[in-house]
Amino acid sequence: DITSEQLYSMLKNKDFYFLNVHIPYEGEIEKTDAFIPYNEIEKNLEKLPKDKNGKIVLYCRSGRMSAEAAQKLADLGYTNVQNLILGMHDWQSKGYSLTK
């Protein structure tokens, strides 16, 4: 798991696949690569990196859906999955913005 502050720093030199899994769609953090509903990860494998060792960072509104999606990716063999703790709620509480 990563914090909003860690994510903010990571986005400056982004080297990961950044995925919003919250449903319904309620906005996103800048530099998001894709939106895949947390409960439809398996139906959207073609949108994910081919390299299962590549870094993937997930987020949602509160952290619950992204935690479930992260576990699903781990079950599918992805080895470098990180989850934004407390999601967009925490991101905004730290003064960072969302795009719609």
Side-chain angles (χ1 to χ4, degrees):
D1 288 343
I2 59 171
T3 65
S4 291
E5 293 85 357
Q6 288 171 309
L7 176 59
Y8 181 79
S9 179
M10 290 167 62
L11 284 169
K12 291 178 183 174
N13 296 303
K14 186 174 172 282
D15 67 345
F16 55 91
Y17 189 75
F18 195 30
L19 186 57
N20 178 355
V21 298
H22 186 77
I23 54 174
Y25 179 86
E26 290 188 27
E28 64 191 48
I29 297 171
E30 191 176 353
K31 297 188 181 178
T32 296
D33 293 304
F35 168 72
I36 301 173
Y38 81 101
N39 59 349
E40 295 183 9
I41 293 292
E42 290 168 294
K43 297 177 189 170
N44 289 278
L45 296 178
E46 76 284 351
K47 293 183 182 177
L48 297 171
K50 302 269 181 272
D51 179 3
K52 290 193 173 189
N53 298 315
K55 188 187 302 184
I56 300 175
V57 176
L58 306 171
Y59 70 95
C60 64
R61 195 85 194 127
S62 68
R64 183 187 62 80
M65 291 178 188
S66 54
E68 283 187 38
Q71 182 59 57
K72 174 57 67 181
L73 287 174
D75 293 347
L76 291 168
Y78 288 86
T79 62
N80 194 357
V81 179
Q82 296 176 313
N83 176 39
L84 176 61
I85 299 169
L86 301 175
M88 291 185 272
H89 284 308
D90 188 67
W91 179 259
Q92 289 181 292
S93 78
K94 300 294 194 293
Y96 307 125
S97 63
L98 295 178
T99 59
K100 297 281 181 180

